[in-house]
């Protein structure tokens, strides 16, 4: 369930409704993927790449989604 449907309220019964955005915000799931577009390499990998310019250049040539 993604997009516009996430903000739609759904009836559970005559007295209760559920809105997925409210649930995701309350549980922290809303922010889980916030940093997915800005991944950071682990320190040991970054250090190893700093010691090998060819490997660093090769890795940097990949698109961020690779």
């Amino acid at each position: 369930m993604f997009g516009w449907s996430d903000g739609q309220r759904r009836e559970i019964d005559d007295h209760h409704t559920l809105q997925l955005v409210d649930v995701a915000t309350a549980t922290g799931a809303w922010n889980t993927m916030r940093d997915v577009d800005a991944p950071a390499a682990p320190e040991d990998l970054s250090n190893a790449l700093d010691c090998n310019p060819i490997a660093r250049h090769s890795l940097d040539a990949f698109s961020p989604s690779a």
Side-chain angles (χ1 to χ4, degrees):
M1 296 184 184
F2 300 99
W4 71 270
S5 63
D6 290 346
Q8 303 299 309
R9 291 197 180 272
R10 299 205 172 86
E11 288 187 13
I12 296 173
D13 58 32
D14 289 339
H15 304 287
H16 299 89
T17 60
L18 171 69
Q19 186 168 11
L20 297 178
V21 172
D22 294 340
V23 173
T25 302
T27 63
W30 189 260
N31 294 321
T32 300
M33 300 297 287
R34 183 174 296 259
D35 294 329
V36 74
D37 291 330
E43 187 176 350
D44 59 340
L45 174 60
S46 186
N47 291 339
L49 290 171
D50 289 341
C51 294
N52 188 333
I54 294 171
R56 168 67 76 184
H57 176 74
S58 295
L59 182 64
D60 289 345
F62 284 105
S63 69
S65 62

